Amino acid sequence: MTQVSVTVDGVVYTDEVEARTLLVHYLRERLGKVGTVVGCDTSNCGSCTVLLGGMSVKSCSVLAVQANGSEVTTIEGLAAADGTLHPVQQAFYDSHALQCGFCTPGMVMASCDLLAENPNPSEQEVREGIEGNLCRCTGYQNIVKAIQAAGRAMSGTATSSTATSNTEAVRA
Amino acid sequence: MTAVDDRATAASSADGGPRMEVGNARRRKEDAHLLTGRTTWTDNMTLPGMLHLAILRSPMAHAKITRIDASEAKSRPGVIAVFTGQDFAETQGDIPCAWPVTADMVNPGHPSLAVTQVNHVGEAVAVIVARDKAAAQDALEAVDIDYEQLPAVLDMEAALAEGADLVHPNTTSNKSYTWVFESGAAGTGQPIDDVLNAAEVTLKRRFIQQRLIPAFMEPRSTVVQPVGEGFTMWSSTQVPHILRTMLALTVGVPEHKVRVIAPDVGGGFGGKLQVTPEEVICALVARKLGKSVKYTESRSESVMSAHHGRDQIQDITITARRDGTVTGLDVHLLANMGAYLRLVSPGIPVLGAFMFNSIYKFDAYRFTCDGVFTTKTPTDAYRGAGRPEATFAIERIMDELAAELDMDPMELRRKNWIRHEEFPFTTVSGMTYDSGNYEAATDKALSLLGWDELIAEQARRRASKDPVQLGLGISTFTEMCGLAPSRVLGALSYVAGGWENAAIRVLATGKVEVITGVSGHGQGHETAWSQIVADQLGVPFEDIEVIHGDTQSAPKGMDTYGSRSLVVGGIAVVKAAEKVVEKARAIAAHMLEANPDDLDFAGGNFSVKGSPGNSKSIQDVAFATFTAHDLPDGIEPSIDSDATFDPANFSFPHGTHLCAIEVDTETGRATIRKYVCVDDIGEVINPLIVEGQVHGGLAQGIAQALYEEAVYDAEGNLTTGSFVDYLVPSAADLPSFITDRTVSASTTNPLGVKGVGEAGTIASTPAVVNAVVNALRPYGVNDIQMPCTPERIWRALSEGAEKSSPAAAGTVAHGGASTSSSDGSDAAEGGRL
Ligand code: FES
Ligand code: FES
């Protein structure tokens, strides 16, 4: 057993873990952070993506002990304290970028990282940027649209269509 | 989307009445918890004292189990118990098959835990119960099993040959059934043999439907809690109601003691339309130990043991007159059941039986399907279930016939399809299509694609011998969905009906609960049903709560598959709402001191005809009903209602899909340049959701054409055993789609709606493959086996160049250039690019 201390969604946790414990299992089974999910056992699907020190990682390919001393942000900690959705979450909602929603936590976290690196990505840049995140439901088209819209919203270049969508969000 | 715009205008009501919800691109009610990680996936559940299961799976495709020693595993730390098939031999029953398609169908039985023999890689042979998941998995290696290997049975034609090794020792052949339809005998057309014999042109082709893996993103997971004499099961399933009934019958617990809950479910696509061995095992173990248990599969387990889809050899004969008029269609399928018959395995290819003739007018038709056992994972429903196979075969062979007759492939289709003034139209397979307009959808699609310009570009590239060639592919499809009229299911020997149930409760405060028997897992039912009820009852969208997926709170239903939720379940909601209004009308009349017949109901208000100021809202009526202080004599104090709806007919969405693809003749790589689809799904409740369904469907259909294949090696090992090898496309592998609609309202339901969940998948596969073949036809290529990988395209080009010309009329062109093996196992050596 090894002691780890990790800040997850703003809360500091200190636990004894087996050295082999994956970060995703630590999050889900020890911390109850079940918003982050597991979709594969070969690090292909991206469902488990979280931000580790601000960068997206597949939490199934990181050991809990490797996260020692780091800050982790999961889908559960992304919205503001008052419940206001993060612009990426809002854009996913507006663009109908989720169906079953299983890929969504990972897809949203990967998108945050993508937009941090490239606030205004082209369609092709988005498609390549989320290559490591599989979605079986949406055919990706609305996810691509959402990420581009979120990029515009975050860099203050939101178009009128996003404005309309926000009106809809208030109504919904 | 012009169709959307038209609809939105219509929805805002020309007579100045309230804006309607139906037709609005409402954002989804489902999303908030999914976007913030406040989810209830089954694997998220923890119950007090819950134990964890790990399942040991067969590494052999076919073997006798000669010895199992679990003693060491039992002594591992944290292990509570280990069970093998012997422990449950008397109690586990068989996985149910609800579709005995013929009276003499052979069903060898399907134990959840193998007892004496394993028949596919990944079959469950033992289960470890431990206090945590890691301990259970650690102990798997300590179970000692001796297997006596038997020959793998992989190739369907070899499996049917005289003297073939048998998959099951209790059968006399590997054939499960032969199912036949013939238009002469059925009275739906001429005798097929007469038409085949009189043919001016005969074309035969063999197409291979490769084996696919549904690959829902949420791995299957089950939690069982023993409750009294029965149990509660949470499972990642599409079918909680079917599962409840079948579990009761399988494990021998009275149905009223079984509760099944489908919480958040992460996709299904037919892959979770099942009663699984894992679900039965969880129930058996929980009951045996009197403890709650959880089992969640890994992705690698999922791809081996959750059922697969497709896997057919299709021998198609089409006949025509020299002018291009089609006359006869003769279809012979070998359908791979895999090792066992699961819930609806035998019926899946039969669902295609009525769709091979598609939108075309044939004089005669025959469909013959042999269900074949092999030592592979069982097959069952996968998005489209029987209809993609049919659509692929007919749309591919129409292109081949056009090439044979030297006709334009769209002209050939136009010449033969049902014209819009001919609806309703009864086809040679006996289906009556209620409505459609193939001309309108096609014209719109051609113009959206820019067909003429692309044809000109294709000619230029051909003339200049451009290494990157352009191919244009067509799929003018229809499908039957909305499963299903119960009488038809009965005629097809399915053991259940196809109705759906809904109930509506209007609460004291005027809020509304809608209970539906369908069980959504991504389809947006909560949003769409709210829109329907908002219009029907005139209550705000936000005031409606949709309850589903729990046999206790939504006790009656047939669940979600076969694009049935809206066209059967949604109509049940409408019927229930109509009853609510009628019950409320009597009470409103009493409140307004008027005759019920003199009341209008609009926008949620009952008003006396001619004096609109004199009105009561449905919320007023609900409160008056709740207090029940002053109701008319003899009236029950409730306006709550339920309805069970059995559809009179299937739903027949149709459309035209066009694909422009660039094929690099030097590398074999095919890249979709433009994909256009114009779908006609009748009226639309929520265009946002519809478009999402179309996108997702397209992705899966295109994936069959270009990327996905479950491959077995010569020993029967699944070599595509994880997401490393099974190529679910990523965003970078797919284009953006241009989607549009035409609207031919269904005439068989009050909303005018048709199913949409499977349309994209059904239509797109042949559009893409036709495009690839179209690009390469000048090189002597007339088929590429799916998936059309760069290697297969490259090989077809190399072989095509050596051939002088495409196959001639009347010859058997067995699958064209690259179908060296009938079961796709050639790809095992070839590998994936
Ligand atoms: S769970 Fe699939 S990449 Fe982590
Ligand atoms: S929304 Fe279902 S997998 Fe992406």
Side-chain angles (χ1 to χ4, degrees):
Chain A
M1 289 288 191
T2 314
Q3 193 180 68
V4 290
S5 183
V6 192
T7 306
V8 181
D9 298 333
V11 176
V12 182
Y13 298 87
T14 303
D15 282 296
E16 299 284 327
V17 298
E18 280 187 67
R20 65 173 179 168
T21 305
L22 298 174
L23 178 58
V24 70
H25 291 145
Y26 177 63
L27 291 171
R28 286 180 58 80
E29 289 159 23
R30 294 293 289 281
L31 307 189
K33 289 274 178 187
V34 291
T36 301
V37 295
V38 178
C40 74
D41 46 7
T42 50
S43 296
N44 283 93
C45 76
S47 309
C48 61
T49 305
V50 299
L51 300 183
L52 178 64
M55 306 275 284
S56 73
V57 295
K58 293 179 174 178
S59 62
C60 71
S61 59
V62 177
L63 296 169
V65 292
Q66 290 176 293
N68 188 30
S70 305
E71 276 210 31
V72 173
T73 307
T74 78
I75 190 73
E76 296 183 40
L78 198 59
D82 68 354
T84 306
L85 294 181
H86 183 278
V88 173
Q89 291 170 312
Q90 182 66 42
F92 269 58
Y93 174 71
D94 290 335
S95 304
H96 183 34
L98 60 153
Q99 290 181 27
C100 79
F102 194 80
C103 71
T104 307
M107 203 61 94
V108 166
M109 300 317 287
S111 305
C112 288
D113 192 20
L114 170 71
L115 291 172
E117 269 176 40
N118 181 356
N120 194 12
S122 68
E123 177 185 336
Q124 201 50 35
E125 285 169 336
V126 173
R127 286 185 178 276
E128 283 163 18
I130 58 168
E131 208 172 2
N133 290 72
L134 298 178
C135 173
R136 192 57 155 170
C137 296
T138 64
Y140 302 103
Q141 189 154 332
N142 288 344
I143 293 177
V144 173
K145 207 164 107 187
I147 295 171
Q148 289 186 302
R152 286 192 299 271
M154 289 159 77
S155 54
T157 56
T159 62
S160 59
S161 80
T162 324
T164 321
S165 304
N166 286 339
T167 320
E168 172 72 30
V170 173
R171 280 173 51 203
Chain B
M1 299 266 301
T2 47
V4 177
D5 296 341
D6 294 350
R7 181 66 205 169
T9 317
S12 45
S13 178
D15 62 4
R19 185 182 164 84
M20 306 299 274
E21 280 292 346
V22 166
N24 280 349
R26 270 285 188 188
R27 279 23 173 204
R28 297 197 321 167
K29 289 187 166 184
E30 289 84 348
D31 289 359
H33 79 290
L34 299 170
L35 278 165
T36 52
R38 268 60 176 181
T39 40
T40 59
W41 314 114
T42 302
D43 188 53
N44 290 2
M45 302 244 340
T46 302
L47 296 177
M50 186 170 83
L51 302 175
H52 296 261
L53 308 189
I55 292 179
L56 185 67
R57 297 181 177 281
S58 170
M60 304 268 181
H62 202 200
K64 288 196 183 311
I65 300 170
T66 52
R67 189 184 66 95
I68 302 189
D69 180 359
S71 52
E72 195 200 327
K74 279 181 187 156
S75 68
R76 287 291 180 99
V79 171
I80 313 290
V82 180
F83 299 106
T84 67
Q86 290 294 351
D87 297 311
F88 291 129
E90 303 303 315
T91 51
Q92 68 179 346
D94 282 300
I95 291 297
C97 175
W99 206 335
V101 288
T102 60
D104 60 354
M105 181 186 85
V106 175
N107 182 356
H110 183 355
S112 289
L113 268 179
V115 181
T116 56
Q117 183 168 316
V118 289
N119 296 310
H120 69 89
V121 165
E123 187 167 353
V125 290
V127 55
I128 313 264
V129 189
R131 71 178 194 190
D132 61 47
K133 189 171 176 177
Q137 286 174 334
D138 286 348
L140 287 173
E141 57 163 22
V143 180
D144 194 15
I145 305 189
D146 290 343
Y147 291 103
E148 182 187 314
Q149 195 167 354
L150 298 168
V153 180
L154 301 171
D155 181 284
M156 283 196 278
E157 289 177 308
L160 292 181
E162 194 71 32
D165 296 310
L166 292 176
V167 176
H168 295 280
N170 59 345
T171 62
T172 54
S173 94
N174 290 316
K175 183 150 87 179
S176 173
Y177 66 87
T178 298
W179 194 94
V180 183
F181 175 91
E182 198 275 311
S183 57
T188 55
Q190 296 175 30
I192 185 72
D193 286 326
D194 295 358
V195 172
L196 295 181
N197 291 335
E200 291 176 13
V201 180
T202 302
L203 188 70
K204 294 175 192 255
R205 281 301 164 90
R206 165 168 285 202
F207 299 121
I208 306 296
Q209 288 285 327
Q210 80 269 36
R211 182 173 271 257
L212 298 175
I213 297 177
F216 34 77
M217 285 311 296
E218 181 209 12
R220 297 171 307 159
S221 178
T222 300
V223 167
V224 176
Q225 177 181 40
V227 180
E229 299 158 52
F231 59 89
T232 298
M233 174 182 287
W234 290 258
S235 196
S236 174
T237 181
Q238 294 173 231
V239 290
H241 299 91
I242 293 174
L243 184 55
R244 177 200 199 192
T245 305
M246 290 298 176
L247 279 172
L249 295 171
T250 304
V251 302
V253 176
E255 190 178 2
H256 62 301
K257 302 291 182 189
V258 179
R259 175 184 179 190
V260 176
I261 300 168
D264 282 334
V265 174
F269 317 109
K272 292 174 181 170
L273 165 50
Q274 195 56 270
V275 177
T276 68
E278 293 81 4
E279 286 161 335
V280 172
I281 289 167
C282 285
L284 292 169
V285 172
R287 283 168 58 71
K288 185 117 182 166
L289 299 177
K291 297 281 283 180
S292 296
V293 303
K294 173 157 85 178
Y295 168 75
T296 302
E297 68 186 359
S298 69
R299 178 60 60 182
S300 306
E301 289 181 280
S302 186
V303 297
M304 304 192 275
S305 58
H307 70 247
H308 293 174
R310 314 277 196 279
D311 200 344
Q312 294 181 355
I313 299 174
Q314 309 179 306
D315 285 313
I316 314 289
T317 304
I318 192 169
T319 61
R321 289 200 273 279
R322 285 201 202 288
D323 70 357
T325 308
V326 296
T327 55
L329 185 65
D330 193 10
V331 172
H332 186 201
L333 303 184
L334 296 183
N336 199 333
M337 299 290 107
Y340 298 104
L341 302 181
R342 286 204 178 156
L343 189 63
V344 289
S345 306
I348 297 302
V350 173
L351 275 176
F354 309 97
M355 282 291 118
F356 278 86
N357 51 294
S358 187
I359 64 172
Y360 309 113
K361 294 179 282 187
F362 285 94
D363 299 329
Y365 171 56
R366 176 167 58 201
F367 171 94
T368 311
C369 176
D370 297 318
V372 185
F373 292 115
T374 58
T375 53
K376 295 183 181 177
T377 300
T379 60
D380 206 313
Y382 172 53
R383 201 168 191 170
R387 292 98 78 211
E389 296 92 313
T391 302
F392 181 83
I394 186 67
E395 288 304 295
R396 279 288 298 117
I397 206 156
M398 288 301 276
D399 263 27
E400 296 310 303
L401 182 63
E404 194 55 50
L405 297 170
D406 202 19
M407 274 180 83
D408 176 80
M410 193 61 96
E411 261 333 291
L412 180 71
R413 286 170 169 84
R414 279 185 197 277
K415 190 176 179 63
N416 288 292
W417 73 37
I418 302 157
R419 294 190 310 277
H420 74 273
E421 64 273 15
E422 293 177 295
F423 289 91
F425 186 92
T426 300
T427 72
V428 74
S429 64
M431 288 284 137
T432 300
Y433 298 172
D434 60 333
S435 67
N437 190 333
Y438 309 140
E439 298 89 336
T442 299
D443 291 346
K444 201 169 203 174
L446 288 171
S447 97
L448 281 170
L449 187 81
W451 179 270
D452 294 339
E453 298 90 87
L454 287 170
I455 285 282
E457 182 183 331
Q458 179 183 62
R460 283 197 302 277
R461 288 189 190 230
R462 284 183 176 174
S464 67
K465 302 233 177 329
D466 192 324
V468 178
Q469 289 290 313
L470 184 65
L472 299 181
I474 303 168
S475 171
T476 49
F477 84 106
T478 190
E479 59 131 335
M480 52 184 260
C481 63
L483 305 182
S486 296
R487 266 190 301 195
V488 177
L489 291 178
L492 292 173
S493 311
Y494 186 61
V495 301
W499 47 262
E500 194 46 77
N501 180 264
I504 295 178
R505 295 195 287 251
V506 188
L507 308 180
T509 55
K511 311 295 182 197
V512 176
E513 291 176 329
V514 178
I515 299 103
T516 177
V518 299
S519 187
H521 42 283
Q523 294 86 347
H525 297 158
E526 292 174 33
T527 305
W529 280 208
S530 297
Q531 291 179 269
I532 293 171
V533 173
D535 283 1
Q536 294 288 323
L537 298 185
V539 298
F541 174 81
E542 296 77 10
D543 284 1
I544 298 163
E545 186 74 16
V546 177
I547 295 165
H548 62 91
D550 179 343
T551 61
Q552 199 164 75
S553 57
K556 198 171 165 170
M558 284 289 183
D559 307 314
T560 288
Y561 44 84
S563 304
R564 71 187 303 274
S565 292
L566 176 60
V567 293
V568 190
I571 303 305
V573 169
V574 171
K575 300 284 180 193
E578 286 171 353
K579 288 187 185 175
V580 169
V581 171
E582 283 323 296
K583 286 170 100 171
R585 179 186 300 276
I587 295 166
H590 179 73
M591 294 166 78
L592 292 164
E593 297 178 348
N595 188 311
D597 296 338
D598 291 339
L599 297 189
D600 285 329
F601 181 69
N605 288 304
F606 291 98
S607 56
V608 182
K609 282 192 174 83
S611 61
N614 194 10
S615 73
K616 290 288 175 195
S617 72
I618 192 142
Q619 291 91 341
D620 295 337
V621 175
F623 188 71
T625 310
F626 166 73
T627 62
H629 294 164
D630 179 20
L631 296 182
D633 290 340
I635 281 215
E636 68 165 332
S638 170
I639 59 171
D640 299 347
S641 299
D642 77 333
T644 304
F645 172 72
D646 200 338
N649 195 356
F650 291 92
S651 157
F652 299 98
H654 73 81
T656 297
H657 288 222
L658 301 174
C659 178
I661 207 161
E662 289 181 355
V663 181
D664 186 325
T665 57
E666 287 168 357
T667 65
R669 189 183 164 90
T671 311
I672 294 178
R673 158 113 159 249
K674 197 167 182 186
Y675 194 99
V676 164
C677 64
V678 177
D679 285 292
D680 193 324
I681 54 157
E683 299 291 352
V684 164
I685 305 301
N686 183 324
L688 195 68
I689 290 176
V690 160
E691 214 182 333
Q693 289 288 315
V694 171
H695 290 166
L698 291 175
Q700 288 182 20
I702 291 169
Q704 177 174 13
L706 296 180
Y707 301 120
E708 293 181 20
E709 179 169 28
V711 178
Y712 285 82
D713 69 12
E715 272 78 55
N717 297 304
L718 181 65
T719 58
T720 50
S722 75
F723 274 172
V724 175
D725 310 286
Y726 189 81
L727 188 60
V728 172
S730 77
D733 300 316
L734 292 168
S736 279
F737 314 112
I738 298 165
T739 61
D740 207 333
R741 295 198 309 273
T742 54
V743 179
S744 306
S746 169
T747 60
T748 61
N749 67 64
L751 293 175
V753 295
K754 304 178 183 181
V756 69
E758 297 161 297
T761 303
I762 291 169
S764 57
T765 312
V768 175
V769 177
N770 277 340
V772 173
V773 174
N774 178 256
L776 302 182
R777 215 178 275 285
Y779 296 78
V781 173
N782 64 15
D783 197 21
I784 308 273
Q785 188 178 317
M786 296 187 290
C788 302
T789 58
E791 181 186 341
R792 284 195 176 144
I793 291 173
W794 185 85
R795 284 187 191 281
L797 274 165
S798 316
E799 289 166 29
E802 289 160 20
K803 287 195 302 190
S804 51
S805 70
T811 62
V812 181
H814 272 302
S818 66
T819 49
S820 58
S821 155
S822 58
D823 67 353
S825 58
D826 59 335
E829 290 86 51
R832 305 281 305 280
L833 292 183

